[in-house]
Every structure is written in structure tokens, then in C-alpha cells.
Amino acid sequence: MLLGELVGTSAAVAEASSRLVKIGRLAELLRHVTPAEVETAIAFLSGELRQGRIGIGPAAIREARPPSAVDIPALQLLEVHAAFERISATTGRGSVDDRMRLLRELLMRATAAEQDFLIRLLFGELRQGALEGVLVEAVARTGDVPSATVRRAVMMAGALAPVARAVLLERESGLSHFVVQIFRPVQPMLAQTAADVDEALADLNQDVALEWKLDGARIQVHKADDEIKVFSRNLRDVTFAVPEVVEATRKLSINSVILDGEVIALRPDGTPQTFQQTMQRFGRKLDVDRLREEIPLTPFFFDCLYADGASLIDRPQVERFAALGAIAPSAIVPTKVRPTREEAAQFVEETLRRGHEGVMVKALASAYAAGRRGQHWLKIKVAHTLDLVVLAAEWGHGRRKGWLSNLHLGARDPVSGGFVMLGKTFKGMTDQMLGWQTEKLLQLEIARDAYTVYVRPELVVEVAFNDLQESPHYPGGLALRFARVKSYRPDKPASEADTIDTVRSIYRQSTGREPPVRAGLT
């Protein structure tokens, strides 16, 4: 298959407003994909590279784009995949230049539309509407298989690509071997957000359990006799990085089990370290013994998916809790089952007092909806808010094409009179807000490049965020985590925006550490 065929379909899907039209376009494309091409096609349509990161930064990607493009599509899909394989495998002295050269050679053979597609793919900004849910429906239609059957197979396989390949080769019969298996990680169940406990209890009819919501790293642990593997949220094998989890699991008096949970770095007083501290244990270049001494991890489990040959995926949450309690009683995340409203409020208060970010509310009658963000798990987080100034905005893609979408956010520096960038966000915006901010920001424009419009720092926006993390990329040394727009404050001048001192104070209070100091900020 030509890359241009896939790029054309991607563009058509991005432009389509109807879910059925999107599914139809994708299914038509998949009917012409060969078995060897299907995993690459699914990855590209999902906005992902099969290789993950390939060792080329944003500036280098922009620099690698040639000034011209070919007129007629000639690149084969598997050629592009092979080129990315060569780039990701290039290491050693001079590898940065070699990777850029290989990328430039690939882009020189692409049309303008293909260049744009590949660059957005590398940036992780290919939001063309072909989300996994739509792709699942397209795969089902292609193979004339019930979508529920495909969806369940994807949950068990942990990825859509192998399921799509099985459907294209063997139709429904090819899905029979996608069941819960030890050492084949299952997509994790995800949670929707609720505003508060009262809303969550009302939504789930109060037959629920409350848990601490830990700001740690999601793990899925598989054990078969003495062999143990630990997988991350994105199903990557991270066993080598978390020996504490392996040791804790080895002590369990069960032959085979799959547990769902989180691992978190705790301070000596039991309060959590920052998410960033925990994630240091999962870096690329690890000195595990040293890091274990500096940042010890504690595992907490909150679900049991498999026990001694039996899948518990379809069993009610209350039964999975019971199984977990029998298997790992000392490692269960603190839980309150069927609380009254008063008990729920007390549980939330105690959880926050211990430094955790909120609570989970789980319906006791629910099965484990692997890979889905359903209504049976609800998360309640207490977020910070800041009034920040918009410094620039990036043009949107897909359904946001033509709108300024991704905002660059800054806090006021009372010393210099300028603004200190803290991060970006495109979350929390309605279509009405996107239209308004595009018009407003274009009125404030002072410069632009191919991707970004830079504006006079006058527009104030109220931003919610979960916490702050250290960042070498921003001049203040801090970045917002999970930032989203709450509302604009046209009533507030930029001179009344929150200061970098306020931001640093929040960091100090939440972490117990002094914030990093960057040049020009004291």
C-alpha cells in the first residue's frame, strides 16, 4: 500500500464529522491492507509510531523537513516503517546527525501532504479523529465480526494491531485465542472524572468502594510460580526497574496471579513524593541499586484479574476485592466499602491529609472493563488553579484545524515585569471557546511561525492543574502537570495574574522542597 492512500484516508477521517463516515472510510482502507502492513497501518492511523520514540527532538524534526516535495506519491507504507526502524536503531558517535539525515532522506521522497502527516506523527500531534474506538469499529466491519467481540479481544491482547491482523486473516475464528493469559498484559481499566463524592455516589447508586487515589505509576503484575513480570500503564515490561514489586509479589502464597495496582515513592512519614520522583525509577538509563536506595518504591494493589488458572475479569468488583484481600492483604490500597455520605467525606478528608491527590469511587457490581474509560470507576481529584497569561498559541489539527488551540501559559514575574512560561494546554476548551480565543488572540498577534502565533501578554485565563513538576525546559524550572482551561478572565488585567512566586510557593507546600532556581529568577 502507498503511504499516500493512508494519508488521504486520514485526512478524510479528520474532516468527517459523522462517526459512521469515519468508520466507513477506515474500513475501506483496511480492506486493501496486506497482513504484513496491518500493524503499521493501525499504528499510523492511531497517531503512533511502532518504534515509539526514535531519538529526534522537535527542533531537529523541523530542520529535517526539506524545502520542496515530490508531486506524485511513491512511498510504500512498509518502506516508511523500515526507514523509522533504521532511524531508531542508529546509535553511537554521530548518531544524532545520522538520524536527521535518514529522516531528511525519507521526507525528500514524500509529497507535501505526506511530509505534513509524518512530521505530525513524529510530534505526536496527529489528532485526525481515528481514535481506537473508531478503529475497532472499522476492523469489525472489515472482518464482518461483532464489534463487541473485537473490543474484548483488544482488551485481552493489550493492543489493536494483533487483533486486526487476526480479523483480516481468519475473521472471527482468529479471535478465539485472545483470552486472559499470564505474561500477556491486559489493557488497564480507566476512570471517568466526577466533580465530588456526592456526584459519584449518586451516579453509582452508593453501592461503591472508595480508595486512595495515588499519584504513582500504574503497574500490572503477572506471577507464575517463581517467574514474575511487571508491566507499565502502556504495557511495557518494566520488571528490571522495580525489584521491590518483584520481591513483594514473590512472597504471595499463590501460584499464578495477575494484579492491578500502582507503585509510588513515599517519604519516611508515609506521605507521597511527587509523581516526577516516582517516575525517575522508570528512566531509560537506570542504576537500579542506587535509585532504589534514593527513591524506594512501595506497591499498592487494587484489583485482581486472574488467580490460579481462573480469569476474574468478568466477575463483579466486590468479588475481585475479596480475592485480592485473600491473596495480598498487606499490600491493598486503603479502601472504604459501602460508606455512608458522612464516612465518605471523612475518608476523602483523611486521604487528602495524607498528601494524596484524591479518591477513586468504584461500583461494586461492575466487571473489569479493560482498556475502557467507563462510568464504573470515577476519580475525584482536588486541583489547584492559577490565573495565567497567554503568551502564544499553536494552530490546531483535525477537527480543530483553523483554530488556535494549544495555549502557551505564563506566570507574572514581579521583578522583571515579564512573564515566565509554565507549560502548554489544549484541554478543557469548548468549540465556542476555541472560536472566541482564536479571534481574540489574532487581535493580539505580534509574530508567528508555521505552527505558532505569538501574542501580546494581555489575556488572562484561569487554569486548573494537578501539581507542579521540575522542568529543565522552562525558564522558571517548573511546569504545570495536567493543565486544563477553566475559563477566560477578560475582567482581569495581566498585571493581576498570579506570579511565579505564587507558583513556587505551591511547589514548596506540595513537595516540601525548595523549587529549582533558573537564571534571572531568585
Side-chain angles (χ1 to χ4, degrees), residues 55-66 96 100 103-104 107 119 122-123 424 449 451 473:
I56 302 180
I61 292 171
R62 291 191 179 102
E63 188 178 337
R65 184 166 190 166
V96 174
M100 278 190 62
L103 177 58
R104 188 178 293 111
L107 294 174
I119 288 171
L122 290 168
F123 272 117
K424 307 177 184 180
D449 58 28
Y451 303 92
H473 303 297

Side-chain angles (χ1 to χ4, degrees), residues 426-504:
F426 57 83
K427 297 180 178 178
M429 302 172 190
T430 63
D431 287 355
Q432 182 179 7
M433 186 181 293
L434 286 164
W436 181 87
Q437 75 184 25
T438 299
E439 181 179 357
K440 183 67 176 177
L441 292 172
L442 288 176
Q443 294 171 6
L444 300 174
E445 179 181 353
I446 55 175
R448 70 168 65 191
D449 58 28
Y451 303 92
T452 308
V453 173
Y454 300 90
V455 300
R456 296 195 304 275
E458 298 178 7
L459 188 60
V460 177
V461 60
E462 183 181 9
V463 175
F465 63 101
N466 287 15
D467 53 31
L468 292 158
Q469 62 187 23
E470 294 186 20
S471 171
H473 303 297
Y474 296 124
L478 295 172
L480 303 173
R481 186 159 175 264
F482 297 127
R484 59 267 188 204
V485 171
K486 287 193 69 178
S487 63
Y488 275 97
R489 295 296 305 272
D491 60 318
K492 198 172 224 184
S495 60
E496 293 181 13
D498 284 305
T499 67
I500 187 64
D501 295 332
T502 299
V503 176
R504 296 177 74 191

